[in-house]
Amino acid sequence: MAGKRTGVVALSLLSFLFWGMASHARASSALDYRSAWECDVTKFNWYCVVEEQEAPQGKKRKSKEEEALERLEQWKRELEAKRALSILEPTPENVKAYIEAQERLLQTASIYSDVWRRVVWQNPEINYSMKRPVASAGIEAFNRERRNKELETLKAINQEWGIFFFFRSDCPYCHVMASTLKMMTDLYGITVFPVSLDGGGLPEYPQPRVDNGLASMLGVSLVPTMVLGNVRDRRMIPIGSGVVSATELIERIYVLTQTQPGDNY
């Protein structure tokens, strides 16, 4: 008898539930939709994915980069706040909170560094070592190739380019630079035009040209100064002042005449 009453009660409750749902459906049309796959937040739908609301009229929605920047700034402020608190109130709790925040930052930085190198390894077009090797064997090969190009450049420019060498006969550094330039002429055939600012000569260049205003025109105020000059189109390219080694001077000539800014970086 009890079981029968239980079944009647259950049936009554079920009927009441369905009646309530039907009444609510008629009142609000919450179940009135064309497809279970059609999203409507006012209706009962297991598959409803609510899209982001449009930004208020006249206000541009933030990009992911802008949102990320705000999050990063907030993170930095929180970290700095924990650090400041741990310094001013160095309780174990405050110091521990700062250390934990710092550890989270270091962990994030480690992950970023790891992802960075993986991306570089897998994308040769952004791998700097493809242009400038960092391994010892690669560096040696790069330097050897670079040296060959520099020497080839010296041979190629001899027909059009020469070095104007501005000096004073009483300048000790000019005497050192004169020896270097004379050696470059003997080894590589580069032409040197010695220009004396005081009318005197040097052992390597006993009969120099006396400056006729060219130094002033080029802004030469210190000696020794070397300027690369093109005898055909009259281009003048300063390549250095003071004592410069032959190796350095050759590299500068190559860079300034054969490359564009950024090629070697």
Side-chain angles (χ1 to χ4, degrees):
M1 190 69 177
K4 184 176 181 181
R5 283 200 300 271
T6 302
V8 171
V9 172
L11 183 60
S12 298
L13 289 173
L14 187 60
S15 299
F16 179 76
L17 177 61
F18 277 116
W19 175 82
M21 291 175 63
S23 297
H24 181 71
R26 287 192 297 270
S28 63
S29 299
L31 298 178
D32 182 20
Y33 51 84
R34 291 175 294 180
S35 169
W37 301 95
E38 184 176 332
C39 185
D40 187 339
V41 294
T42 65
K43 297 178 174 60
F44 179 79
N45 192 330
W46 288 107
Y47 308 102
C48 186
V49 177
V50 181
E51 296 181 357
E52 295 183 8
Q53 294 183 349
E54 293 289 336
Q57 189 173 5
K59 185 176 181 181
K60 184 180 178 181
R61 180 184 296 172
K62 294 179 181 178
S63 66
K64 288 185 177 181
E65 289 82 1
E66 291 172 330
E67 292 178 351
L69 183 60
E70 290 182 357
R71 288 165 51 199
L72 184 59
E73 289 296 329
Q74 178 63 25
W75 189 8
K76 289 166 59 178
R77 286 194 298 268
E78 291 176 356
L79 181 65
E80 189 60 27
K82 291 182 184 296
R83 176 177 176 273
L85 183 60
S86 70
I87 293 174
L88 297 177
E89 299 181 19
T91 64
E93 294 77 15
N94 291 342
V95 174
K96 180 174 181 291
Y98 173 63
I99 292 175
E100 290 175 343
Q102 185 74 12
E103 286 296 323
R104 287 194 295 272
L105 176 63
L106 293 175
Q107 178 64 20
T108 300
S110 297
I111 294 173
Y112 182 78
S113 178
D114 188 26
V115 174
W116 178 290
R117 66 175 185 169
R118 292 166 188 259
V119 170
V120 170
W121 291 344
Q122 297 170 7
N123 295 272
E125 71 276 7
I126 59 174
N127 189 344
Y128 178 74
S129 64
M130 296 294 292
K131 295 191 298 182
R132 196 69 179 257
V134 294
S136 298
I139 292 174
E140 183 179 349
F142 175 85
N143 290 337
R144 184 167 55 251
E145 182 182 6
R146 173 69 173 270
R147 180 66 175 170
N148 290 336
K149 288 182 178 179
E150 291 172 354
L151 295 179
E152 290 174 3
T153 297
L154 279 183
K155 296 177 182 179
I157 69 172
N158 282 343
Q159 300 301 318
E160 297 185 10
W161 295 87
I163 297 177
F164 286 90
F165 173 41
F166 296 90
F167 68 90
R168 295 180 60 89
S169 61
D170 60 351
C171 164
Y173 304 109
C174 298
H175 284 261
V176 175
M177 200 64 229
S179 297
T180 300
L181 293 171
K182 184 66 167 58
M183 179 194 68
M184 290 179 62
T185 298
D186 295 338
L187 291 178
Y188 308 114
I190 189 75
T191 301
V192 176
F193 300 97
V195 180
S196 175
L197 300 189
D198 64 356
L202 299 174
E204 292 81 5
Y205 304 107
Q207 297 180 329
R209 293 174 175 81
V210 178
D211 179 43
N212 60 358
L214 181 60
S216 178
M217 184 183 72
L218 295 176
V220 175
S221 58
L222 300 174
V223 291
T225 291
M226 288 68 67
V227 178
L228 200 62
N230 190 297
V231 296
R232 292 189 180 180
D233 58 20
R234 306 297 180 182
R235 276 183 293 163
M236 305 292 282
I237 304 176
I239 54 176
S241 298
V243 177
V244 182
S245 69
T247 301
E248 176 69 16
L249 207 56
I250 292 171
E251 180 183 12
R252 293 183 187 186
I253 292 173
Y254 167 73
V255 170
L256 293 171
T257 63
Q258 305 298 314
T259 69
Q260 296 298 320
D263 284 353
N264 296 317
Y265 287 87

